[in-house]
Amino acid sequence: MQTNRVKKILKEGGLALGTYTGGIADPQIVEIIGHAGFDAAFIDMEHTSFDLRDVQLMVMAAERVGITPIVRTPGFDPAFILRLLDMGVQGIQVPHISDARAARAAVDAVRYAPLGDRGIAGASRASDYGKISMKDHMAQSNREITLAVMVEDLPALAEIDAISSVEGVDIVAVGPSDMSRALGVGGISDHPKLVETILRVADAVRKGGVARLALPMNHPTLPRNAKQLKELGVGYCNCAPAPEVRILKSMQAQVAEARG
């Protein structure tokens, strides 16, 4: 397992830049992300039709260009998370974490004992098919795997101090779209209720001292640039838009210019 580029940046207090692979199930998207200079490819299994074979090839592409493959799972399922980890995924992001108990369960699913309760496979791809000892593999995985928990619902706000203090969580990520929906202000850009909530979460993460905050860059619901994110204490961000949007806008501009 290669060094987790995102985790290294988080520990150094920097801002790691990731971007979305979108719904394009092709490893070349991941290679392009790496060649562009991003630190991570965000592979979303919550809102796409990706299957495990798609993800496996994208993970291999991420390894080739030296970036961190982060997978957002469809929900919380320890057995599913285990399959992702055993194939070599370096970052797991679990959506809709509403309390500290759920955050601790995510830690259990991602970390080997004594830090968690992840199941052991003797010759997984993540252990180089058994080339390295299980002891070394377990220590390496606990050191290199990044766990992000997403707070996107109102119950999470009541528990945010506890969630932010759970050992083993590396990133507390706010989902602006779902959080704004939960606050009753969905579809409204930069609404004061959402901004207040973001500041509340940022303060809790800072006080918790175990994780870094994650927010997207240039998100339509919460438009913030890199400087503004750093001021909030953000350690990881996904840079919008998704590749489909980038391609579409570029093509539209070309067509408009040609027809004009």
Side-chain angles (χ1 to χ4, degrees):
M1 179 182 291
Q2 66 185 15
T3 298
N4 186 325
R5 185 160 154 177
V6 166
K7 196 158 191 176
K8 183 175 184 292
I9 293 170
L10 292 175
K11 287 183 176 179
E12 292 171 351
L15 174 63
L17 302 178
T19 195
Y20 308 91
T21 63
I24 302 173
D26 194 306
Q28 291 179 90
I29 291 293
V30 176
E31 289 183 322
I32 291 169
I33 288 170
H35 289 311
F38 287 99
D39 302 303
F42 188 77
I43 304 167
D44 188 4
M45 296 191 79
E46 184 184 18
H47 293 288
T48 69
S49 60
F50 291 167
D51 60 27
L52 288 172
R53 177 67 175 171
D54 296 328
V55 174
Q56 174 74 88
L57 294 174
M58 295 168 95
V59 168
M60 295 170 76
E63 292 169 350
R64 179 182 179 275
V65 290
I67 62 176
T68 303
I70 298 175
V71 175
R72 176 161 62 184
T73 59
F76 178 63
D77 180 348
F80 190 80
I81 289 172
L82 179 60
R83 297 180 73 183
L84 293 170
L85 293 174
D86 282 349
M87 75 164 63
V89 171
Q90 282 193 309
I92 297 292
Q93 182 157 312
V94 184
H96 297 289
I97 293 294
S98 294
D99 54 37
R101 177 199 57 78
R104 282 191 290 269
V107 172
D108 283 342
V110 169
R111 309 290 181 205
Y112 283 118
L115 305 181
D117 194 33
R118 174 181 167 185
I120 299 174
S124 67
R125 181 175 184 275
S127 67
D128 291 343
Y129 307 103
K131 181 180 177 181
I132 62 176
S133 72
M134 185 52 61
K135 179 181 178 182
D136 288 344
H137 163 66
M138 292 169 69
Q140 187 182 54
S141 292
N142 279 350
R143 182 178 66 249
E144 298 296 340
I145 299 298
T146 300
L147 171 61
V149 297
M150 294 196 74
V151 291
E152 309 177 85
D153 310 289
L154 294 183
L157 297 181
E159 287 264 337
I160 192 59
D161 292 313
I163 292 171
S164 300
S165 300
V166 173
E167 292 288 343
V169 171
D170 300 296
I171 295 170
V172 176
V174 182
S177 295
D178 278 333
M179 183 58 79
S180 64
R181 172 192 53 78
L183 291 167
V185 295
I188 303 174
S189 180
D190 222 16
H191 194 281
K193 282 188 177 180
L194 179 62
V195 174
E196 181 183 354
T197 296
I198 296 297
L199 293 175
R200 168 78 180 93
V201 174
D203 185 58
V205 173
R206 192 178 298 110
K207 288 179 179 177
V210 300
R212 296 290 302 281
L213 179 66
L215 286 167
M217 186 185 297
N218 299 329
H219 191 283
T221 307
L222 189 77
R224 296 292 183 276
N225 59 31
K227 181 176 183 293
Q228 291 168 322
L229 292 176
K230 288 177 182 177
E231 289 170 353
L232 283 168
V234 171
Y236 175 82
C237 71
N238 282 320
C239 301
E244 297 96 325
V245 178
R246 295 178 191 264
I247 292 168
L248 176 61
K249 287 184 176 180
S250 177
M251 288 181 171
Q252 284 176 322
Q254 185 178 36
V255 169
E257 182 182 0
R259 294 196 189 283

